[in-house]
């Protein structure tokens, strides 16, 4: 393949991902690929009970099993005073008190609280030796009653997980003016009320979690290779908050990471145990999760039970919205668990609409289930689902066209201050809806519906006009809302003497193509070939302190930090060029890779300026330091607000309840786009996950025993290619007003906008049969039962008395 021309690699070009060569040829280097001489292997013994007291643990037989180097338990880790796994976001309860924050020991101490809780680590020369030896550990459990459902856990007499939270409540949190909302409801023409479940999901990254910890006695330091989305935060939590070490004594490397979807943002108990154990045995220790361990222990997503109401006037204008959500947090607080159903959820309940008053109340609840935390979209899919299901239900009940009702209520002027804290900077919601309706040929739908009917199929159409907040930052606002970390990003641009460039970014790419898109930005700005730019990420030993990747922040925040560093490179370059050209720096222009004196053809190319900076023979040393290497930290003033219109068409087989997505259209506004092909890929992936949530995926616990029933791909249905149509994807652009790229995030939008579009379409298909409500996933069984239940009253009514 010929090298692409410069024009084809600029900002806005669909450049093929440079990282794909190594991924597609099997040359990627993932944590499990790292081999360190003398490395040992760990197996975690996990609780088979959802809730039990540990009476005793006997490890004698395991310790003398072949190949075993150590067997360590909660007692050992407590004796070494290793701290518990911390939570990174403090939520303040409605009563003004801090949330309940129970200890989360990295190895269970006295009690286990979910199936999969770590009880012991066995370290041996091989993984199979460790696994075999674990079978010899005798744990005397006293089984306790367990609870998996968050609403059940709130009932009096429910099993109690933590002494500090006797009602199993971590917090009750609220946002908005309750009295004003109640008053608006009292005077409303119509109220629509829905009870919604947002199903629990398992993240299912392609690469399971893995970590390899190495302690060096030589300088009392640690190296941790870990499949993680934000290595600096992992290091900060692990050193300062858990192990009590100075940060510089640990290097965290997150090499190639095979997908995360949020589940690898967090500091996990396994990482703590491995780092601690590597010092204890003075050998490197490696652990890679088996897929069944991933099901049990990767932080799950969603799991909300919500009652949502919308008050409207006679014209369908929204007057107020009232939402109560019970959010399942699982057995312990994962790193960002507390922020997901609060700050990242209720602040998005305005959606794209001018609803003047909104009140939301959220109970965060402990249950005997795997901890729940951010999963692609984190809070925003839950909000979009509530808002968009509610809006379509209002349209149905008021007999107003779905699109028309949305348009009547769209926000059209910006900036717009919502009643739930956020200020949207820009957007054009009508433009996205127009685009999506054209692309989806909404006008032709009645004909398609009739044609489907002639084949015995019920065809439905569903809308979702979502908005989300991403580019997670700014630090001061996040701090006010309880974040225990900053949310800026860092970029270092290191120009080499010959003019090629290495960029060090605090963002982490685990499938998003940063090595390509960030290189596009740098090569376009410096006017150097795309191939002369390399992007480095994921190593605290090489990259300045950054905040990692989640909340679709990498381009808007991390990319902007790189732009700020490039600004400094250009400014310094101009001074060097002015010296070389014997001109004033204020007369120097930088364009197409050349510094020139304005209005003349006298210029020096970028590479010559770089060389002068490193070989400063002819250089203004009295005024300027040598070298061309600049770092910028960028903390934005607002979130970015991607928004769009998703339209889904389904066909339902009324005999079997099977739902087929026959068309899926997404027209989104991500501001300025760097690489349309990568963005389209991100949308495709998000849509697949959103459709998966709407129709297939469901994480199910047994109500009595709190055993995970959907613990493998035999029971947990992942979407496959045959479940998905060919997506129709378009975009509209309103540039973000406050970052230098004008870009908004795109990484989660597909998963946020699509689930309500799919369910609205299924309900639309079934509405002639009298079905008005369905929960996700709309599995054939559920749909069939809903059809039967809706038809029974009709049949009963037609029976003679
Ligand atoms: N981009 C662009 N123009 C825009 C917006 C983005 O060209 N206007 C490009 C970016 O430069 C980047 C990609 O699109 O290459 C995604 O950018 P962004 O929206 O900033 O999202 P992040 O890079 O921060 O990725 C995080 C986001 C999240 S939160 C989840 S969850 C998710 C997702 O990305 N997890 C993923 N997409 C994923 N894709 C893969 N393959 N694997 C995951 O784990």
């Amino acid at each position: 393949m010929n090298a692409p021309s410069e024009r084809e690699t600029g900002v806005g070009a669909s450049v093929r991902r440079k990282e794909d060569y190594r991924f597609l040829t099997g040359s990627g280097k993932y944590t499990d690929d790292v081999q360190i001489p003398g490395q040992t292997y760990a197996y975690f013994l996990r609780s088979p009970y959802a809730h039990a007291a540990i009476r005793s643990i006997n490890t004698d037989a395991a310790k003398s099993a072949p190949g075993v180097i150590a067997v360590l338990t909660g007692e050992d880790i407590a004796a070494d005073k290793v701290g518990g796994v911390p939570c990174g976001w403090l939520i303040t309860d409605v009563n003004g008190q801090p949330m309940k924050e129970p200890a989360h020991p990295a190895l269970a101490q006295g009690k286990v609280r979910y199936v999969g809780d770590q009880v012991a680590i066995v370290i041996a020369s091989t993984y199979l030796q460790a696994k075999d030896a674990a079978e010899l550990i005798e744990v005397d459990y006293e089984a306790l009653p367990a609870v998996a459902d968050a609403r059940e856990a709130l009932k009096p007499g429910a099993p109690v997980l933590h002494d500090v939270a006797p009602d199993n409540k971590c917090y009750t949190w609220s946002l908005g003016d309750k009295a004003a909302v109640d008053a608006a409801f009292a005077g409303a023409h119509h109220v629509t009320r829905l009870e919604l479940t947002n199903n629990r999901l398992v993240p299912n990254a392609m690469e399971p979690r893995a970590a390899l910890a190495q302690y060096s006695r030589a300088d009392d330091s640690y190296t941790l290779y870990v499949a993680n989305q934000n290595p600096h935060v992992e290091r900060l939590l692990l050193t300062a908050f858990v192990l009590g070490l100075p940060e510089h004594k640990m290097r965290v490397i997150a090499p190639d990471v095979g997908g995360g979807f949020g589940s690898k943002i967090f500091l996990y108990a396994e990482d703590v145990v491995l780092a601690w154990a590597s010092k204890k045995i003075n050998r490197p220790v490696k652990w890679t999760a088996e897929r069944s361990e991933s099901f049990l222990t990767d932080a799950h997503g969603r799991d909300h039970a919500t009652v949502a109401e919308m008050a409207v006037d006679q014209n369908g204008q929204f007057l107020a919205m009232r939402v109560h959500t019970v959010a399942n947090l699982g057995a312990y607080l994962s790193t960002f668990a507390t922020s997901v159903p609060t700050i990242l959820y209720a602040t998005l309940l305005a959606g794209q609409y001018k609803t003047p008053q909104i009140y939301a109340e959220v109970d965060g609840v402990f249950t005997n289930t795997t901890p729940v935390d951010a999963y692609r979209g984190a809070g925003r899919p839950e909000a979009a689902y509530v808002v968009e299901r509610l809006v379509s239900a209002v349209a149905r009940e008021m007999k107003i066209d779905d699109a028309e009702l949305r348009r009547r209520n769209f926000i059209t002027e910006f900036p717009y201050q919502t009643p739930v804290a956020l200020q949207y900077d820009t957007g054009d919601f009508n433009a996205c809806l127009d685009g999506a309706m054209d692309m989806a040929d909404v006008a032709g739908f009645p004909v398609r519906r009739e044609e489907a009917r002639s084949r015995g199929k019920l065809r439905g159409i569903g809308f979702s006009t979502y908005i989300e907040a991403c580019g997670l930052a700014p630090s001061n606002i996040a701090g006010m809302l309880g974040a225990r970390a900053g949310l800026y990003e860092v970029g270092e641009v290191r120009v080499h003497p010959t003019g090629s460039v290495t960029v060090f970014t605090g963002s982490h790419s685990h499938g998003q193509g940063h090595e390509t898109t960030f290189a596009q930005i740098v090569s376009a700005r410096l006017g150097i070939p795309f191939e002369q730019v390399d992007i480095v990420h994921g190593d605290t030993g090489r990259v300045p302190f950054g905040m990692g990747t989640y909340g679709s922040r990498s381009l808007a925040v991390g990319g902007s930090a790189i732009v700020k560093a490039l600004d400094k490179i250009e400014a310094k370059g101009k001074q060097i060029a002015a010296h070389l050209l014997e001109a004033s720096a204020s007369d120097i222009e930088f364009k197409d890779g050349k510094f020139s004196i304005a209005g003349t053809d006298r210029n020096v190319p970028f590479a010559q300026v770089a060389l002068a900076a490193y070989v400063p023979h002819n250089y203004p040393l009295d005024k300027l330091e040598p070298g061309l290497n600049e770092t910028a930290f960028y903390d934005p003033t607002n979130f970015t607000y991607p928004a769009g219109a998703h339209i889904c068409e389904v066909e339902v087989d009324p005999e079997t309840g099977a739902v087929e997505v026959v068309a899926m259209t997404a027209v989104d506004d991500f501001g300025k786009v760097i690489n349309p092909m990568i963005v389209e890929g991100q949308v495709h992936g998000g849509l697949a996950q959103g459709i998966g949530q709407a129709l297939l995926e469901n994480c199910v616990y047994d109500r009595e025993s709190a055993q995970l029933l959907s613990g493998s791909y035999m029971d947990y249905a992942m979407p496959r290619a045959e479940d998905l149509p060919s997506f129709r994807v378009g975009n509209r652009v309103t540039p973000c007003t406050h970052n230098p790229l004008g870009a908004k995030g795109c990484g989660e939008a597909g998963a946020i906008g699509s689930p309500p579009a799919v369910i609205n379409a299924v309900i639309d298909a079934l509405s002639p049969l009298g079905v008005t409500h369905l929960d996700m996933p709309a599995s054939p069984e559920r749909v069939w039962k809903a059809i039967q239940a809706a038809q029974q009253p009709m049949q009963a009514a037609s029976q003679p008395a």
Side-chain angles (χ1 to χ4, degrees), residues 158-471:
V160 176
L161 275 85
H162 302 280
D163 293 345
V164 296
D167 53 0
N168 289 323
K169 219 187 254 185
C170 177
Y171 52 73
T172 295
W173 175 89
S174 75
L175 185 64
D177 184 340
K178 184 171 189 309
V181 167
D182 289 347
F185 269 84
H189 168 77
H190 179 82
V191 171
T192 293
R193 183 178 189 277
L194 284 180
E195 285 185 30
L196 301 168
T197 301
N198 203 298
N199 41 333
R200 188 177 179 115
L201 302 172
V202 178
N204 286 303
M206 239 195 281
E207 180 205 15
R209 282 194 296 121
L212 167 56
Q214 180 183 31
Y215 173 72
S216 162
R217 201 167 263 180
D219 58 357
D220 191 26
S221 74
Y222 298 76
T223 304
L224 178 70
Y225 293 88
V226 60
N228 185 275
Q229 300 177 213
N230 53 353
H232 279 97
V233 176
E234 166 101 2
R235 183 181 70 167
L236 176 67
L237 293 173
L238 199 44
T239 54
F241 292 87
V242 180
L243 296 174
L245 298 170
E247 272 180 271
H248 71 288
K249 287 294 183 189
M250 182 174 285
R251 177 175 176 189
V252 174
I253 302 171
D256 284 331
V257 172
F261 309 109
S263 69
K264 292 173 183 165
I265 304 173
F266 323 120
L267 172 63
Y268 281 94
E270 288 89 350
D271 309 352
V272 172
V273 177
L274 293 165
W276 162 73
S278 73
K279 178 172 180 180
K280 247 185 143 45
I281 66 164
N282 196 25
R283 283 178 69 179
V285 192
K286 181 188 270 187
W287 167 76
T288 303
E290 295 183 13
R291 185 54 69 180
S292 50
E293 274 183 298
S294 304
F295 270 96
L296 276 181
T297 66
D298 288 3
H300 292 169
R302 322 264 198 265
D303 202 343
H304 282 197
T306 295
V307 177
E309 297 165 284
M310 184 76 95
V312 286
D313 73 9
Q314 60 280 14
N315 301 318
Q317 289 291 339
F318 304 157
L319 301 174
M321 191 175 168
R322 193 159 49 197
V323 175
H324 182 260
T325 293
V326 177
N328 195 335
L329 300 175
Y332 302 100
L333 295 180
S334 174
T335 312
F336 290 117
T338 49
S339 65
V340 175
T342 50
I343 308 301
L344 296 174
Y345 165 64
T347 53
L348 269 307
L349 288 172
Q352 299 192 354
Y353 312 106
K354 290 178 284 197
T355 314
Q357 295 292 348
I358 298 172
Y359 178 72
E361 197 170 285
V362 179
D363 293 319
V365 182
F366 296 111
T367 61
N368 295 109
T369 63
T370 301
V372 181
D373 206 322
Y375 169 68
R376 201 169 195 171
R380 291 146 296 150
E382 294 90 314
Y385 188 65
V386 168
V387 176
E388 293 305 306
R389 283 286 312 269
L390 205 47
V391 169
S392 284
V394 172
R396 221 172 18 254
E397 289 175 8
M398 301 268 299
K399 301 194 174 24
I400 302 174
D401 174 77
D402 239 321
E404 168 58 24
L405 180 71
R406 285 173 164 81
R407 289 188 202 280
R408 279 187 207 172
N409 288 282
F410 273 164
I411 295 160
T412 49
E413 283 170 22
F414 298 90
Y416 179 83
Q417 179 61 52
T418 72
V420 276
L422 299 180
Q423 189 183 72
Y424 303 158
D425 62 332
T426 179
D428 186 345
F429 306 146
N430 276 303
C432 286
L433 184 55
D434 288 342
M437 287 179 73
D438 277 354
M439 209 175 231
D441 183 26
V442 172
F445 175 72
V447 175
R448 294 194 293 279
R449 174 174 260 177
E450 280 314 305
E451 187 277 328
R453 207 192 306 269
S454 71
R455 288 184 278 112
K457 295 285 173 64
L458 299 169
R459 194 160 174 130
I461 192 163
F463 289 75
S464 160
T465 45
Y466 76 95
I467 189 163
E468 57 140 332
C470 60

Side-chain angles (χ1 to χ4, degrees), residues 17 205 229 257-263 265 375-377 380 470-471 507-518 520-521 548-557 670-676 678-679 681-682 685 689 742-748:
R17 304 200 318 177
Q229 300 177 213
V257 172
F261 309 109
S263 69
I265 304 173
Y375 169 68
R376 201 169 195 171
R380 291 146 296 150
C470 60
S507 302
H508 188 278
S509 190
H510 36 279
Q512 296 90 345
H514 297 172
E515 290 169 43
T516 302
T517 48
F518 290 3
Q520 285 178 261
I521 294 169
T549 285
Y550 38 86
S552 302
R553 67 193 304 270
S554 301
L555 179 63
V557 192
F670 301 128
K672 290 197 179 152
V673 167
I674 306 299
N675 185 321
I678 285 180
V679 168
Q682 287 291 314
Q689 278 172 304
K744 310 174 192 178
C746 74
E748 295 156 292

Side-chain angles (χ1 to χ4, degrees), residues 32-74:
D32 194 55
D33 295 324
V34 180
Q35 304 288 336
I36 302 178
Q39 106 191 348
T40 63
Y41 295 85
Y43 178 82
F44 284 94
L45 181 71
R46 299 181 182 281
S47 169
Y49 291 99
H51 202 190
I54 300 176
R55 288 205 198 100
S56 65
I57 305 179
N58 184 343
T59 58
D60 292 348
K63 277 180 177 153
S64 52
V68 169
I69 296 152
V71 181
L72 302 166
T73 67

Side-chain angles (χ1 to χ4, degrees), residues 119-133:
V119 174
I121 181 174
V122 183
I123 302 169
S125 303
T126 71
Y127 179 66
L128 288 180
Q129 285 173 330
K131 194 171 178 178
D132 285 347

